[in-house]
Amino acid sequence: MRNLFRCTLIILALLALLVSPAAAQEPSDAPPGTFRNPLNRYGGADPWLTTYEGSYYLAATTWSSTLTMRRSPTLAGLKTAEPVAIYHETDPSRCCNMWAPEFHLLTAPDGSQHWYFYYSAGTAGNNYDNQRIHVLESAGTDPLGPYTYKGRVQFPGTNFWMIDGSVLTLDGQVYFLYSSWVSGLQSLFIAPMSDPWTLGARGSLISRPDLPWERQGGNVNEGPVALYHGEDTFIVYSASACVTPDYKLGMLRYVGGDPLSPDAWVKHPEPIFSRSDANGVFAPGHNGFFKSPDGTEDWIVYHANDSDAYGCDGTRTTRAQPIVWNEDGTPEFGEPVAAEMAIPLPSGDTGTDVVLPPLDIVRLESLARRETYLRHSAFMIRQDSSVRPIADSMFVVVPGLADPEAISLESFNFPTFYLRQQDNVLFIAPDDGSAAFAGDATWWVRDGLAEGDGGDAEGEWISLESFSSPGRYIGRMMGINALSSITDVSPAAMREDATFRITHP
């Protein structure tokens, strides 16, 4: 069987490394009192980070039907904190593609305090067009909940696309910030809130992408977040298309008057935080702000990519760094910090930095169609030679969901989505926790069903047999990628279609 046994041992050894608690807790070589970004290896888009009663709480976009949160007493500890599922949705009108979580401790009309968890969500099979903003309410004041669904944040009698909900408090009044469309431009709006889940009036347009740096790859203003300093109030937002490495941050400053009037907000003429090719940081954006544990420092949390070839998906990681204040009262963000740079921990944080173990990321090159790779597009599995973003063809090898002796292939840019089969159709989908899903997303690594040219190493040509449908392999049927039934007498072409070479990007 050529060197399949050796190949399988290598894969299992990598899996053992990935799940080893000792590896996950290995101290880094960062100097004491410092840490290095990122706070996660992937799946860190649209982060929201808050300190509360001695702990850090972090949430990010999940793309799925489940919202999660991490808690740690230290900032670096978030790297290895287990995500806690705080809510799962089954209603098809709001079940999927959960984006841009934010949670705020607000006062309900009866005077009680609760965490209100805002997020964008849509319908199954559509990851953009049907997004709306929803809110959960915690039972008490624990950021981890439990939570119950409170409602959709929308104006009565309306039903239009809106995302990236956030809360701003000014002169005792609570306002809601969001992004929506006007005249073909994705723009920013503000509306008063009568309670944490109800908008009191129609929103007012306060910013549209009218400057060249806001229109790279698309005309976009989104992700508005309030920032306060002394008597000053700012709205920091993301600009340009998130699919480009030129996604960046812009800023509005409140200059007095009615906050619902566009005249109350003045746009900074230049971006305040953007890509740093020298530091290897691209598309920094969709941020939040938090205080150091002792309350003396202001910090920004944001997502970014470490390659200009990555896109608007789970390749983005969560990063944090301090901000300082200029003499004119405006914030100074500097440049996004390189991943190898040690950053002093937030004041009052006594944590120790850790090293996250490496991911086993693979691409699967077809033997039948050399230099083409399995990839997902609109969540369906297909085969292409030109893949952009390249992350569409990258999978993380993890222990099999149904059997740890086998493997599962998790999408690199859609974390918690796995390559699965259902009725012989191949696609990626979020793990729903069911035994059926686990079986359909688990694969046995077999020796290649066809003879490859071997390349520089033996045993690199493999085939993937379905765990739940023995005798069926990832291959092609009627010109599309599908699960194929292959036997000893199957044609050579079918066997070549079901043989792949593992490569590492």
Side-chain angles (χ1 to χ4, degrees):
M1 297 179 65
R2 292 179 285 161
N3 261 331
L4 175 65
F5 183 67
R6 181 182 63 83
C7 179
T8 302
L9 285 179
I10 291 172
I11 291 174
L12 292 177
L14 287 169
L15 294 179
L17 175 64
L18 290 174
V19 300
S20 166
Q25 299 295 329
E26 180 185 345
S28 78
D29 61 356
T34 68
F35 79 102
R36 290 192 178 104
N37 282 315
L39 298 178
N40 38 43
R41 294 175 295 184
Y42 65 138
D46 310 334
W48 187 258
L49 198 160
T50 293
T51 53
Y52 181 70
E53 293 189 344
S55 291
Y56 294 86
Y57 294 85
L58 172 65
T61 285
T62 64
W63 298 97
S64 66
S65 302
T66 302
L67 296 165
T68 63
M69 190 183 296
R70 297 173 188 258
R71 175 175 61 186
S72 171
T74 65
L75 184 64
L78 290 170
K79 293 183 178 183
T80 53
E82 287 294 324
V84 176
I86 63 167
Y87 185 76
H88 181 77
E89 185 59 79
T90 58
D91 186 317
S93 71
R94 57 176 191 265
C95 69
C96 307
N97 309 313
M98 291 178 171
W99 297 348
E102 289 195 16
F103 42 102
H104 299 262
L105 187 61
L106 301 173
T107 302
D110 65 2
S112 61
Q113 284 198 313
H114 304 268
W115 289 95
Y116 290 91
F117 194 107
Y118 301 92
Y119 61 99
S120 308
T123 55
N126 188 312
N127 66 345
Y128 184 81
D129 295 330
N130 298 326
Q131 296 298 96
R132 306 291 187 269
I133 299 174
H134 303 268
V135 60
L136 311 176
E137 182 185 65
S138 67
T141 56
D142 185 346
L144 291 176
Y147 285 90
T148 56
Y149 182 75
K150 195 66 179 178
R152 180 163 60 91
V153 183
Q154 196 86 324
F155 304 104
T158 66
N159 182 23
F160 59 88
W161 190 91
M162 56 191 298
I163 63 168
D164 297 350
S166 191
V167 171
L168 178 149
T169 302
L170 191 57
D171 296 330
Q173 170 66 49
V174 179
Y175 297 89
F176 196 66
L177 306 173
Y178 64 94
S179 178
S180 191
W181 291 92
V182 58
S183 302
L185 304 175
Q186 191 181 333
S187 304
L188 302 182
F189 296 81
I190 185 172
M193 302 192 81
S194 54
D195 58 50
W197 58 90
T198 306
L199 302 183
R202 292 299 297 266
S204 301
L205 172 68
I206 55 172
S207 177
R208 68 179 78 206
D210 49 15
L211 297 175
W213 55 267
E214 300 175 294
R215 304 167 74 99
Q216 293 177 273
N219 304 317
V220 178
N221 281 181
E222 63 184 15
V225 176
L227 174 62
Y228 312 97
H229 182 65
E231 299 298 316
D232 291 316
T233 299
F234 304 88
I235 295 174
V236 176
Y237 63 95
S238 299
S240 289
C242 66
V243 297
T244 75
D246 296 303
Y247 197 58
K248 60 180 70 70
L249 296 181
M251 185 174 71
L252 308 176
R253 186 174 191 172
Y254 176 65
V255 294
D258 182 2
L260 300 177
S261 169
D263 294 334
W265 302 95
V266 173
K267 182 178 293 187
H268 196 72
E270 300 294 336
I272 59 170
F273 199 60
S274 56
R275 64 186 281 176
S276 173
D277 291 49
N279 290 341
V281 183
F282 304 90
H286 204 116
N287 69 290
F289 299 102
F290 65 98
K291 289 282 191 180
S292 60
D294 64 6
T296 63
E297 296 174 345
D298 291 295
W299 283 65
I300 180 174
V301 61
Y302 62 97
H303 72 228
N305 277 320
D306 57 13
S307 168
D308 62 2
Y310 289 166
C312 185
D313 47 39
T315 56
R316 298 169 291 183
T317 54
T318 299
R319 305 158 190 241
Q321 61 189 72
I323 61 176
V324 296
W325 295 94
N326 298 314
E327 290 185 1
D328 64 357
T330 58
E332 176 59 52
F333 292 82
E335 288 191 338
V337 174
E340 61 270 17
M341 179 177 177
I343 306 170
L345 287 165
S347 182
D349 188 321
T350 59
T352 300
D353 195 32
V354 297
V355 174
L356 290 172
L359 295 170
D360 183 21
I361 302 174
V362 300
R363 301 178 77 200
L364 296 171
E365 181 188 7
S366 169
L367 171 60
R369 295 164 178 79
R370 296 301 303 272
E371 299 185 0
T372 71
Y373 296 84
L374 283 186
R375 56 87 56 94
H376 62 80
S377 178
F379 302 111
M380 300 302 296
I381 296 298
R382 51 182 287 183
Q383 226 168 280
D384 284 308
S385 57
S386 176
V387 182
R388 189 169 180 88
I390 190 176
D392 284 354
S393 63
M394 293 161 57
F395 296 91
V396 181
V397 180
V398 301
L401 298 180
D403 188 327
E405 296 298 314
I407 67 168
S408 290
L409 295 171
E410 183 180 12
S411 168
F412 177 63
N413 55 352
F414 286 89
T416 75
F417 281 63
Y418 293 85
L419 192 161
R420 73 169 295 188
Q421 68 88 15
Q422 192 172 42
D423 299 325
N424 296 340
V425 177
L426 297 171
F427 55 99
I428 63 167
D431 183 6
D432 62 13
S434 68
F437 183 97
D440 289 344
T442 298
W443 308 92
W444 293 112
V445 179
R446 305 301 191 196
D447 198 9
L449 294 174
E451 292 288 335
D453 59 15
D456 295 328
E458 294 182 1
E460 62 182 354
W461 293 98
I462 66 165
S463 294
L464 294 170
E465 182 183 9
S466 170
F467 177 89
S468 57
S469 296
R472 294 181 178 270
Y473 296 79
I474 294 178
R476 289 174 70 84
M477 293 179 64
M478 301 178 67
I480 62 173
N481 285 99
L483 206 63
S484 300
S485 179
I486 299 178
T487 68
D488 292 341
V489 297
S490 295
M494 286 186 65
R495 304 169 75 83
E496 291 178 0
D497 282 337
T499 301
F500 300 91
R501 184 168 68 97
I502 293 178
T503 68
H504 296 270

